[in-house]
Amino acid sequence: MRWFFRGPAGSGEVVPSPNIWYYQDVYDVENRAQDADGEIWRVLREECDWTGRDVLDLGCGDGYHLPVFAADARSVLGIEPHPPLARDAERRVRDLGNVRVRVGRAQRLPVDDASVDVVHARTAYFFGPGCEPGLREAERVLRPGGSIVIVDLDVTSEPYGGWMRADLPHYDPPAVERFFAAHGFNCRRVRTRWRFADFAAAESVLKIEFSAKVAQRAIADTRQLNPGPGEVTLPVGYRVHCRVKPTGLVLPGHSAASPDSAESSESSTSPRIE
């Protein structure tokens, strides 16, 4: 998926994403393949229905998900740190009157206080310890009662999670889940299917998601799961983390009021593929 890295906590650094920044055409194939049955969208609706509300899509890339939100939202704002992707996102939504795109970073959102109802981030920036600056910003721009919802890959779910663990030996899924729980998030696991038109499309995506060695393993495993010609499907698990901003008085030190109150002493476990 789209590993949208951060530098040291508070640095404001944006580190290039090794897939969408360099293989945008293939990443579009991946976007179209993901969540073939709409399970993530179903869970998002249950957690924070955005109908008639103002949505911020953080790390929106080339804007693939913006039209889905725009169909029901009052307004949608896509924030993307990489200007070429932001320009492509603008082109994608140019005929949608309720959507805007701005260049910006999770650590310093170009958004007014208490101005949106939903902050959505999908496989972007919020990977666990180290993302506190972005959590503070999301809390700042949300209205009381608004939700921040983070969609990330479930690294414990096979077979995709096993390939990820092979490439990310220091990534600690339980530590990441403890981090989000300590910051007031619930967690829902979602099983999805990726669906490709043919094996060549699936192979192209696996090659941009993993190191060469792990990609070859993933390709071989996918061939075993899909031995015949034609359409290729792949089970992929996700985690959906959601937190609602309180509408009333919050006691000092409560995680929803102060995301840093449950600061983890663990070093950053952000996924990174070299």
Side-chain angles (χ1 to χ4, degrees), residues 1-35:
M1 297 299 293
R2 184 176 174 224
W3 299 125
F4 172 51
F5 307 127
R6 53 189 175 272
S11 71
E13 179 185 358
V14 176
V15 181
S17 174
N19 41 36
I20 192 172
W21 282 34
Y22 304 110
Y23 305 100
Q24 191 174 342
D25 290 345
V26 178
Y27 199 80
D28 190 62
V29 173
E30 180 174 340
N31 267 331
R32 287 185 274 112
Q34 291 172 24
D35 195 19

Side-chain angles (χ1 to χ4, degrees), residues 31-226:
N31 267 331
R32 287 185 274 112
Q34 291 172 24
D35 195 19
D37 304 303
E39 284 299 296
I40 294 174
W41 289 112
R42 178 184 63 79
V43 170
L44 291 179
R45 287 278 191 189
E46 292 175 358
E47 291 292 330
C48 56
D49 188 5
W50 54 89
T51 301
R53 306 175 80 190
D54 299 311
V55 176
L56 189 160
D57 188 13
L58 179 53
C60 70
D62 63 3
Y64 186 82
H65 297 115
L66 298 179
V68 180
F69 288 115
D72 300 308
R74 176 169 53 190
S75 73
V76 181
L77 174 62
I79 299 292
E80 168 56 43
H82 191 42
L85 288 175
R87 288 193 293 270
D88 287 343
E90 287 180 328
R91 282 192 286 269
R92 187 188 293 272
V93 301
R94 61 190 169 194
D95 296 327
L96 300 177
N98 63 337
V99 185
R100 295 176 297 131
V101 177
R102 299 187 67 179
V103 175
R105 300 171 300 181
Q107 304 95 324
R108 185 174 295 178
L109 294 172
V111 182
D112 291 339
D113 294 355
S115 59
V116 301
D117 301 298
V118 176
V119 173
H120 166 267
R122 189 172 304 206
T123 60
Y125 181 80
F126 295 100
F127 298 121
C131 73
E132 293 88 348
L135 291 177
R136 286 194 296 270
E137 278 292 271
E139 191 79 1
R140 176 183 66 80
V141 304
L142 278 173
R143 298 182 178 116
S147 300
I148 173 173
V149 60
I150 296 167
V151 181
D152 197 8
L153 285 155
D154 183 353
V155 186
T156 68
S157 177
E158 303 296 342
Y160 202 96
W163 306 331
M164 291 179 65
R165 294 194 305 275
D167 257 341
L168 306 168
H170 302 297
Y171 183 72
D172 186 347
V176 171
E177 293 183 19
R178 289 195 300 270
F179 170 86
F180 282 112
H183 283 72
F185 287 85
N186 67 15
C187 177
R188 293 182 62 176
R189 283 179 160 77
V190 184
R191 294 288 291 174
T192 76
R193 291 189 309 146
W194 288 11
R195 185 172 60 209
F196 299 92
D198 52 39
F199 194 82
E203 183 175 9
S204 69
V205 167
L206 294 172
K207 284 182 175 179
I208 71 167
E209 288 302 331
F210 300 104
S211 65
K213 180 179 179 180
V214 174
Q216 288 307 308
R217 168 186 158 187
I219 290 165
D221 291 348
T222 301
R223 175 61 80 185
Q224 286 189 331
L225 292 170
N226 298 269

